[in-house]
Amino acid sequence: MALIVQKFGGSSVANAERVLNVAQRVVDIHQQGNQVVVVLSAQGDTTDELIEKAMEINEKPSKREMDMLLSTGEQISISLMSMAIAKLGFQAISLTGYQAGIFTDGTYSNARIEKIDGSRVRSELDAGKIVIVAGFQGMNKNGDITTLGRGGSDTTAVALAAALQADFCEIYTDVDGVYTADPRVVPNARKLRDVSFDEMLELACMGARVLHNRSVELAKKYNVNMVVRSSLNDHEGTLVREVTEMEKMMIKGVAYDKDIARISIIAVRDIPGVAFKIFKLLADVDINVDIILQSIGRGDTKDISFTIARSQLVDAVDLINKNLDYIGAKEVNFTRDVAKVSIVGAGMANHPGVAAAMFEALAEADINIHMISTSEIKISCLVRWDEAEKAVQAIHKRFGLDKEI
Ligand code: ADP
Ligand code: ASP
Ligand code: MG
């Protein structure tokens, strides 16, 4: 008897028909003699709608109350699923994050799972039930509800799979697996048979929202057997695992992220310690900085630019404005008119010329590059916001990712 964790995303449970479809799939697996834990997201666009509801009332709601609100979306899904399974004649029980023993740190809206007490889930499974857990939520040490960040139900599933030592963690979504690029942007993108944890982590961090980045981090840490596949058909999905078959592909995929913004601090004094002051200020309030570019000094000043998540722009600019004297800078400016386009592949480390090929693709598409950052398995370029999709298509084509290897 295997223990299987199955996660279904929002579109897979968007309406009654889809809920019943998922219920049938789950029951089929259960009937084959497996124990099944089901993790669900909120139905369809529920989470976005809840955010809109909050904005109608207060544009700057407290994060605690936002988490209280957003966690309700997943609770609708799990109760409905439990009812659907009961209707099919099987025993099921729905559990909130807390009831499933998921404990997090205190960071509202982006909490990290610290510990899972799997005893309740285990005892319900041992009683022969299908256990349905609300994704995306947990509880902090004050007993308050936290959420794990957008897309966080994937992380709930992997964390539960690790804690329960499940045999498989299956992530069901609205595409057939992980592709060489978002198939909605690049129609001839190809489904990958497998992708390594490291590559998938980079793709997820660079904006491929098919998996929440923390879920991949956890899957790697606990070596969880993970597969991404469609809830609407039986096609083979994509295996996410430690090592992939000997790589012929230098580049595994192209990702893009439009959810970012650029900040520039102008005329910073060109003396030691300035970068430390800026980035320490930001780190102290949990603002994550991504690409950083420092200009060569002119006279005794220089400029420092960096990108951050769009949701943190207002807080970051406020903070820097308040500290201009302390930093020793003249002014700060920012733009939301940017997107980050990245290529990812473990194979690129040994291939000189990959960066040049990416820049060539962008040049041929007449797309200007504003910032560049590289790592062993990734190259990212900052481009204009409205050119992101065109950039992804050009790069995908340049590397021949649509071709069968
Ligand atoms: P779910 O609600 O199931 O969690 P998401 O919307 O979070 O679904 O993630 C699935 C979506 O991710 C797909 O519909 C697709 O548009 C997008 N996506 C982005 N990059 C990729 C990629 N490389 N491969 C597959 N899907 C991707
Ligand atoms: N419902 C949450 C979101 O929309 C979590 C998830 O879908 O994974 O971000
Ligand atoms: Mg998702």
Side-chain angles (χ1 to χ4, degrees):
M1 180 170 58
L3 170 54
I4 303 175
V5 176
Q6 301 190 312
K7 179 258 170 180
F8 295 86
S11 51
S12 303
V13 292
N15 52 41
E17 190 192 341
R18 296 244 172 124
V19 169
L20 287 161
N21 162 57
V22 168
Q24 188 61 58
R25 289 190 84 118
V26 169
V27 161
D28 290 346
I29 296 293
H30 177 74
Q31 271 197 301
Q32 286 163 22
N34 302 299
Q35 290 187 319
V36 191
V37 175
V38 181
V39 174
L40 297 181
S41 293
Q43 292 185 288
D45 297 328
T46 302
T47 309
D48 290 331
E49 287 158 16
L50 289 171
I51 293 172
E52 272 168 35
K53 265 189 203 295
M55 294 302 125
E56 283 168 15
I57 306 255
N58 181 341
E59 281 147 37
K60 274 201 140 190
S62 95
K63 289 190 166 174
R64 179 191 181 279
E65 301 308 330
M66 273 314 271
D67 280 7
M68 181 66 95
L69 177 68
L70 297 192
S71 64
T72 62
E74 272 63 18
Q75 291 185 46
I76 296 175
S77 304
I78 56 168
S79 48
L80 292 177
M81 185 59 66
S82 188
M83 294 174 201
I85 292 172
K87 173 113 179 166
L88 296 174
F90 292 81
Q91 274 192 299
I93 183 166
S94 62
L95 299 175
T96 63
Y98 169 66
Q99 290 174 312
I102 300 175
F103 295 96
T104 72
D105 67 9
T107 323
Y108 293 113
S109 85
N110 201 20
R112 269 180 185 273
I113 296 176
E114 284 188 335
K115 185 180 82 184
I116 294 191
D117 172 358
S119 50
R120 173 78 188 270
V121 175
R122 278 195 183 287
S123 67
E124 300 292 355
L125 287 172
D126 291 342
K129 291 181 201 161
I130 295 169
V131 179
I132 305 156
V133 179
F136 176 57
Q137 57 175 264
M139 183 156 293
N140 67 19
K141 64 176 188 306
N142 305 325
D144 286 332
I145 296 177
T146 52
T147 63
L148 309 182
R150 296 305 304 269
S153 299
D154 300 331
T155 298
T156 305
V158 174
L160 275 171
L164 300 167
Q165 296 180 310
D167 297 281
F168 298 103
C169 181
E170 302 178 331
I171 306 288
Y172 286 89
T173 184
D174 57 359
V175 286
D176 284 3
V178 179
Y179 282 70
T180 49
D182 186 338
R184 297 182 205 286
V185 173
V186 182
N188 61 357
R190 222 165 28 79
K191 188 178 77 188
L192 297 166
R193 197 163 0 107
D194 56 18
V195 59
S196 72
F197 287 131
D198 289 337
E199 290 169 325
M200 192 60 236
L201 185 57
E202 284 288 4
L203 283 170
C205 290
M206 295 304 117
R209 72 172 193 284
V210 63
L211 284 179
H212 191 230
N213 55 8
R214 293 231 182 104
S215 72
V216 188
E217 219 172 80
L218 283 180
K220 178 177 162 74
K221 189 164 169 193
Y222 295 103
N223 207 10
V224 173
N225 273 320
M226 196 178 184
V227 64
V228 180
R229 52 189 302 196
S230 169
S231 64
L232 302 168
N233 60 48
D234 285 323
H235 298 171
E236 229 176 78
T238 302
L239 289 170
V240 188
R241 53 185 182 172
E242 187 57 52
V243 187
T244 57
E245 280 166 24
M246 260 315 285
E247 259 331 311
K248 291 191 217 103
M249 286 172 77
M250 196 163 60
I251 305 300
K252 232 25 192 306
V254 189
Y256 72 109
D257 188 355
K258 295 183 109 175
D259 220 7
I260 62 166
R262 179 192 43 74
I263 294 181
S264 295
I265 308 182
I266 310 296
V268 184
R269 281 175 37 223
D270 199 4
I271 53 171
V274 171
F276 165 68
K277 281 185 181 170
I278 297 171
F279 295 114
K280 174 84 169 68
L281 276 174
L282 294 164
D284 283 348
V285 292
D286 281 330
I287 293 179
N288 234 333
V289 172
D290 187 24
I291 309 179
I292 302 175
L293 186 75
Q294 178 174 305
S295 71
I296 294 180
R298 32 172 161 61
D300 56 356
T301 65
K302 63 192 174 190
D303 303 334
I304 296 183
S305 300
F306 53 90
T307 61
I308 57 169
R310 211 167 253 241
S311 57
Q312 297 188 308
L313 179 64
V314 176
D315 288 347
V317 171
D318 276 358
L319 183 68
I320 293 162
N321 263 325
K322 281 196 199 112
N323 286 283
L324 280 179
D325 286 345
Y326 164 69
I327 295 167
K330 189 161 152 246
E331 61 179 269
V332 55
N333 69 39
F334 62 88
T335 177
R336 292 183 176 85
D337 184 24
V338 287
K340 185 174 61 175
V341 179
S342 310
I343 54 174
V344 172
M348 76 167 72
N350 315 313
H351 284 86
V354 174
M358 178 177 186
F359 305 154
E360 182 188 24
L362 293 173
E364 277 175 2
D366 205 20
I367 293 171
N368 204 13
I369 303 172
H370 298 288
M371 285 165 122
I372 298 168
S373 100
T374 63
S375 79
E376 276 230 309
I377 67 166
K378 174 210 85 180
I379 302 171
S380 299
C381 293
L382 204 69
V383 301
R384 228 174 60 199
W385 193 84
D386 59 356
E387 292 183 331
E389 287 85 356
K390 191 168 118 187
V392 171
Q393 289 155 359
I395 294 165
H396 195 268
K397 188 155 178 231
R398 173 65 182 77
F399 286 100
L401 294 181
D402 51 328
K403 307 222 170 65
E404 204 58 58
I405 307 261

